[in-house]
Amino acid sequence: MTVDAHHHVWDLSVRDQDWIAEGSPLRRDFTVDDLAPEARAAGVDRTVLVQTVTVAEETPEFLALAAANDLIAGVVGWTDLTRADIADELARLRELPGGRYLKGIRHQVQGEPDPRWLLRADVHRGLTALAAAGLVHDLVVLPHQLPACVEAAAALPGLTFVLDHLGKPPIASAALEPWASHVRALAALPNTVCKLSGMVTEADPASWTADDLRPYADTVLEAFGPARLMFGSDWPVCTPTASYREVLDVARQLTDPGAHAEIFETTAVRVYDL
């Protein structure tokens, strides 16, 4: 069995995805019905659906979608971590149809101008509420924001932090530092996990090869180990650069077959309680 721990869906008739540029091949609907045949053909039988926009209505929609589709085993949604009633809001989400599929919360930290946004007192209160609720926090950040991730994870040892897309290293430029040092500092904390996802998106879309990705995959494999590493396709964001099957195949190529059970299944099942 294989778990895809990171993908998205969207319907532009429901709401715009304002982060998608005009003319992009991503500017169309991508549904579970589009994903399911590709995932199942690749041997994937469970997925984690991850938020796309900071709109409160999206998370209830995703929970209902998970309840209606046996492919989706978990949802990482969005809610305002700074709201004063965050604990009540998390409880409300869990009472909604499909609420049992809520496994974590993600905020688009990569878009915050303050590189230390995660360390604000109101954000810390929200992250504390996530820990109390038994949820995880997915980190979508840029390399310069990783030091704040380290501080936040150190301050909240009871909360699991999941680093999406390796922290978006500059693969296209082949630079490793300071990204690699920051990632190692984060991995030194036991309450952190990393997704082997999003690499092709950061690579040269026209010419990337597995060898271009290898130094970055090797860095997180060494830092986190397979028990704290999990595969994510980042579908459909990956599709302008690589197909679903290509993303899965290159992830397998970059990892030791002896570690595949953890990276492609058991880490995600444990971390997200699938």
Side-chain angles (χ1 to χ4, degrees):
M1 294 187 291
T2 299
V3 176
D4 177 354
H6 194 107
H7 75 88
H8 309 282
V9 296
W10 55 77
D11 181 341
L12 297 180
S13 70
V14 174
R15 72 178 53 83
D16 187 32
Q17 301 288 323
D18 58 7
W19 55 277
I20 304 176
E22 291 295 334
S24 167
L26 294 175
R27 184 156 279 286
R28 67 173 181 85
D29 297 346
F30 288 90
T31 69
V32 178
D33 288 340
D34 296 321
L35 171 64
E38 293 193 61
R40 296 201 188 281
V44 172
D45 60 354
R46 283 177 289 180
T47 70
V48 176
L49 174 59
V50 180
Q51 65 88 217
T52 61
V53 290
T54 53
V55 173
E57 292 78 11
E58 184 186 66
T59 300
E61 293 165 3
F62 280 4
L63 295 174
L65 196 61
N69 290 270
D70 60 3
L71 182 65
I72 302 171
V75 170
V76 175
W78 178 85
T79 191
D80 182 0
L81 289 170
T82 69
R83 59 187 294 164
D85 63 343
I86 180 64
D88 292 339
E89 176 61 10
L90 295 175
R92 184 190 73 83
L93 289 171
R94 282 182 148 168
E95 292 300 318
L96 294 175
R100 67 188 180 90
Y101 291 97
L102 185 66
K103 306 300 181 179
I105 295 293
R106 185 175 85 155
H107 179 76
Q108 298 282 345
V109 178
Q110 64 182 356
E112 294 290 346
D114 179 3
R116 295 177 62 79
W117 184 87
L118 282 164
L119 303 174
R120 284 172 27 175
D122 53 354
V123 176
H124 181 93
R125 184 184 67 244
L127 295 174
T128 301
L130 290 186
L135 299 171
V136 308
H137 181 57
D138 268 39
L139 293 164
V140 56
V141 296
L142 300 173
H144 74 280
Q145 296 168 319
L146 284 168
C149 298
V150 176
E151 289 188 52
L156 289 161
L159 177 63
T160 297
F161 289 79
V162 177
L163 181 64
D164 293 351
H165 312 328
L166 288 70
K168 297 198 166 184
I171 297 174
S173 69
L176 277 171
E177 295 295 346
W179 166 82
S181 294
H182 294 329
V183 161
R184 292 187 186 104
L186 185 66
L189 299 168
N191 58 321
T192 62
V193 180
C194 181
K195 286 183 183 175
L196 194 66
S197 64
M199 290 187 291
V200 298
T201 307
E202 302 304 322
D204 185 323
S207 64
W208 71 270
T209 67
D211 286 341
D212 297 328
L213 311 182
R214 191 174 301 281
Y216 303 91
D218 285 349
T219 297
V220 295
L221 278 163
E222 179 184 353
F224 288 93
R228 289 194 291 139
L229 198 65
M230 54 180 147
F231 166 74
S233 68
D234 198 26
W235 184 93
V237 180
C238 67
T239 57
T241 306
S243 70
Y244 190 94
R245 189 58 181 257
E246 286 172 331
V247 171
L248 179 58
D249 286 350
V250 77
R252 287 181 170 142
Q253 182 181 343
L254 292 169
T255 51
D256 184 340
H260 284 181
E262 290 174 300
I263 295 169
F264 293 93
E265 183 182 10
T266 58
T267 299
V269 169
R270 184 186 74 251
V271 170
Y272 286 125
D273 188 26
L274 301 182

